[in-house]
Amino acid sequence: DAKTTQPTSMDCAEGRAANLPCNHSTISGNEYVYWYRQIHSQGPQYIIHGLKNNETNEMASLIITEDRKSSTLILPHATLRDTAVYYCIVRVAWYGGATNKLIFGTGTLLAVQP
Amino acid sequence: GAVVSQHPSRVICKSGTSVKIECRSLDFQATTMFWYRQFPKQSLMLMATSNEGSKATYEQGVEKDKFLINHASLTLSTLTVTSAHPEDSSFYICSAQPSGFQETQYFGPGTRLLVL
């Protein structure tokens, strides 16, 4: 699986949009971009994933560049509860019974400030 | 939907004893479950992949005889830390992948193990 590069930490003001970047310059054509977050002392929480089109759900938006070498996770209106470590992971999604591992990097610690 | 539970949430044991941690998918079936370990201020490290009805696949450097994994049903996987030592103290997290839907894994809340 391709590796990702994320900033170690970021700050964001409460109520503002949080934009978390991720570089995955060696991503393969069949690899998806996944985002998870981990609030302190909890298990990771799935946020969103995508292949090449931009995606949006109730939690966030995922913007993937046309060359797929980078992406941005957008939390439109950050709250204090969004303070967490955010992990960007690229992985092949297999259909038909094969296992697929998530390999976590160091992630970005997002601190939402009041 | 997509809830994964772990039991216990926290356990303290004496050195040399064995500890069993359960991971359950509450509202879906999971052919595959994963076990991770996380030390303080570090990222999650994948320990093993657990497949229902077959032997687990361990990552390099993880002792299979020390970390016993059983995945006896589509909703339950267990991790047993045998002869635990203080260096096994860690945060153990499982995840479950819904059967037939390979894209997403859902994580449990984690189990904090302290070996005295």
Side-chain angles (χ1 to χ4, degrees):
Chain A
D1 290 339
K3 291 186 65 175
T4 63
T5 304
Q6 299 178 252
T8 303
S9 63
M10 292 180 64
D11 286 348
C12 176
E14 188 177 18
R16 303 297 293 269
N19 297 279
L20 291 93
C22 179
N23 286 320
H24 30 80
S25 58
T26 60
I27 192 170
S28 299
N30 60 351
E31 288 182 315
Y32 284 68
V33 179
Y34 287 78
W35 283 85
Y36 284 78
R37 72 179 182 184
Q38 185 179 27
I39 296 171
H40 183 62
S41 294
Q42 296 183 23
Q45 177 187 22
Y46 166 78
I47 302 174
I48 200 167
H49 75 283
L51 183 61
K52 50 186 173 182
N53 296 324
N54 298 336
E55 303 286 345
T56 296
N57 62 20
E58 65 278 5
M59 288 185 67
S61 295
L62 174 61
I63 308 299
I64 303 174
T65 58
E66 193 169 341
D67 63 7
R68 302 208 325 120
K69 293 185 177 181
S70 65
S71 60
T72 302
L73 178 74
I74 301 173
L75 307 179
H77 305 287
T79 70
L80 298 179
R81 287 179 293 181
D82 292 322
T83 292
V85 177
Y86 287 76
Y87 296 99
C88 169
I89 303 168
V90 294
R91 191 203 70 179
V92 175
W94 292 98
Y95 299 89
T99 59
N100 38 17
K101 303 184 287 190
L102 288 172
I103 304 300
F104 285 79
T106 53
T108 296
L109 173 60
L110 175 68
V112 181
Q113 308 290 343
Chain B
V3 178
V4 177
S5 70
Q6 284 184 239
H7 178 79
S9 59
R10 182 183 298 264
V11 57
I12 301 173
C13 70
K14 293 182 179 180
S15 185
T17 61
S18 294
V19 175
K20 180 185 284 188
I21 302 170
E22 294 184 348
C23 177
R24 292 182 185 273
S25 55
L26 298 185
D27 50 3
F28 63 96
Q29 293 184 331
T31 307
T32 305
M33 291 184 175
F34 302 86
W35 287 96
Y36 296 81
R37 180 168 55 180
Q38 186 175 32
F39 293 107
K41 298 189 185 301
Q42 294 186 21
S43 187
L44 286 79
M45 185 193 78
L46 179 66
M47 299 175 67
T49 302
S50 167
N51 293 297
E52 187 265 338
S54 64
K55 291 184 179 181
T57 302
Y58 291 82
E59 295 299 303
Q60 191 172 6
V62 178
E63 300 175 57
K64 62 180 182 180
D65 294 330
K66 181 168 183 63
F67 298 100
L68 301 179
I69 292 172
N70 183 276
H71 192 157
S73 79
L74 288 174
T75 58
L76 173 65
S77 175
T78 60
L79 169 69
T80 301
V81 183
T82 62
S83 187
H85 289 94
E87 57 266 30
D88 298 322
S89 298
S90 188
F91 192 47
Y92 291 87
I93 307 168
C94 73
S95 71
Q97 184 167 283
S99 299
F101 184 62
Q102 304 292 328
E103 290 192 344
T104 306
Q105 295 176 27
Y106 298 95
F107 286 79
T111 296
R112 182 131 346 247
L113 170 63
L114 177 61
V115 185
L116 301 176

